[in-house]
Amino acid sequence: MRDGNRLIGPGGLALWIAATVPAPLLYFGATHRWEENQGVASAVWWCVACVPLLAAVAAARRGPGRPREVAATTLISLALLGGSLAVFRWVIPLQGTVGWRVVLLAGAVAAVVGSLIGYLVGSRGVGRSRSRVGYLAGVMVAVAGAFLAQTTVRLGAEDSTISYDEGRYGGAGPGAVTLPAAGRYAILAVGFSPSRPACSVTGVDRVEPVTVPPSDYGGDAATYAWVAWFRAPGPGVYTLTCRSSDAQASYLVGEMPRIGGAVSSMIHWPLAGILLLGAVPGLLIMLDVAASRRRRKGVLPAGPS
């Protein structure tokens, strides 16, 4: 299929990902109190609301064509919707419940309506932009995606938290920490304490930092951010020492927060991996531009019309 006849290119894919994954999380965070967690219903219905626009643009982009292309744009729109819903089902499982069958049915109706509108607009000869996305756009999308990746992972982890501890074992100071059993324990930053402290615990080989620390735990009295964790070899009294740029910073030890979905692992990924994941749509745009230029020069054979 020729580049100009594709229903969804890398640029469209990047816009869809941005509009349906970080956008609802950022919007909720900007319009609600910090201690409120976003429910899954608001996120998935946001995705459904984006479907008719996607389908209409994809169908209109085809220009004059056969009605069967309505089915093609509908299926592609549903596939992208399914991908976004999967994110909020297994990667960032937000709290609450939603009727998934109802959501999919509504998405199918929205895709059909959007495809019909786009097909009618395209059949009336509304021009399509044939300008290709340039390397600069790809770089900008990659940078924006890398920036949004950290925020998306953080907000997703916060809203997918099942339970957390407000530092029941103490440790502010440095101070003594009495742990009841062997296992993993969290180090929590209190209030505005820096999220990148250099912490050590007596009798523990290593303290692991959390790459993207979930924050906004707690209530009006105090807030907490999960900044590191360690594995205690057994019950006993330990001493926590944390150094940071703030001499007044306070850190406590508590139980490990329980976070659902794949995002519970993503907060521990190397930062480079998180940035690369966010930059993937922009990199795809740049690869697409390079492939298009090579085809125009005859290096790669063009596909069938």
Side-chain angles (χ1 to χ4, degrees):
M1 182 179 294
R2 287 181 180 173
D3 182 73
N5 289 332
R6 288 181 308 181
L7 293 174
I8 299 293
L13 178 62
L15 288 175
W16 172 259
I17 294 173
T20 59
V21 180
L25 297 175
L26 292 171
Y27 177 79
F28 186 90
T31 57
H32 292 72
R33 289 172 56 85
W34 65 266
E35 64 267 29
E36 295 183 53
N37 288 329
Q38 183 171 11
V40 65
S42 63
V44 299
W45 283 112
W46 177 293
C47 296
V48 171
C50 293
V51 169
L53 179 60
L54 167 73
V57 171
R61 187 171 180 267
R62 296 282 290 178
R66 299 183 178 89
R68 68 183 182 185
E69 292 175 356
V70 172
T73 54
T74 299
L75 291 176
I76 290 177
S77 300
L78 284 177
L80 292 177
L81 173 63
S84 296
L85 296 182
V87 170
F88 292 115
R89 180 66 177 86
W90 291 292
V91 180
I92 304 176
L94 302 176
Q95 299 177 9
T97 59
V98 67
W100 293 101
R101 292 183 180 179
V102 175
V103 169
L104 289 174
L105 178 60
V109 173
V112 171
V113 172
S115 297
L116 287 171
I117 294 174
Y119 171 74
L120 293 174
V121 171
S123 297
R124 281 165 171 73
V126 175
R128 294 177 293 165
S129 174
R130 295 183 179 273
S131 60
R132 302 188 186 280
V133 180
Y135 286 112
L136 179 59
V139 171
M140 293 175 63
V141 171
V143 172
F147 174 78
L148 288 175
Q150 297 181 72
T151 303
T152 302
V153 170
R154 178 179 62 81
L155 293 175
E158 292 171 5
D159 290 341
S160 300
T161 298
I162 301 170
S163 63
Y164 63 89
D165 185 357
E166 297 183 356
R168 71 176 71 178
Y169 301 119
V177 178
T178 302
L179 302 180
R184 299 192 304 166
Y185 293 89
I187 297 177
L188 305 169
V190 182
F192 295 101
S193 299
S195 60
R196 305 288 181 186
C199 294
S200 61
V201 179
T202 56
V204 174
D205 293 334
R206 188 174 182 180
V207 174
E208 298 285 352
V210 178
T211 306
V212 182
S215 57
D216 286 351
Y217 294 154
D220 291 335
T223 59
Y224 304 88
W226 179 21
V227 298
W229 66 276
F230 64 92
R231 188 182 299 275
V237 179
Y238 298 81
T239 300
L240 170 68
T241 303
C242 291
R243 298 185 302 276
S244 70
S245 57
D246 184 358
Q248 303 300 318
S250 180
Y251 300 91
L252 301 174
V253 174
E255 296 289 345
M256 294 280 285
R258 291 179 57 209
I259 300 175
V263 73
S264 62
S265 298
M266 295 175 69
I267 60 175
H268 301 289
W269 285 10
L271 181 58
I274 297 174
L275 297 178
L276 180 60
L277 179 64
V280 164
L283 297 177
L284 289 177
I285 291 175
M286 288 185 279
L287 289 174
D288 181 63
V289 172
S292 298
R293 293 184 63 182
R294 293 178 64 188
R295 280 196 295 269
R296 289 198 301 271
K297 293 179 180 179
V299 177
L300 293 178
S305 300

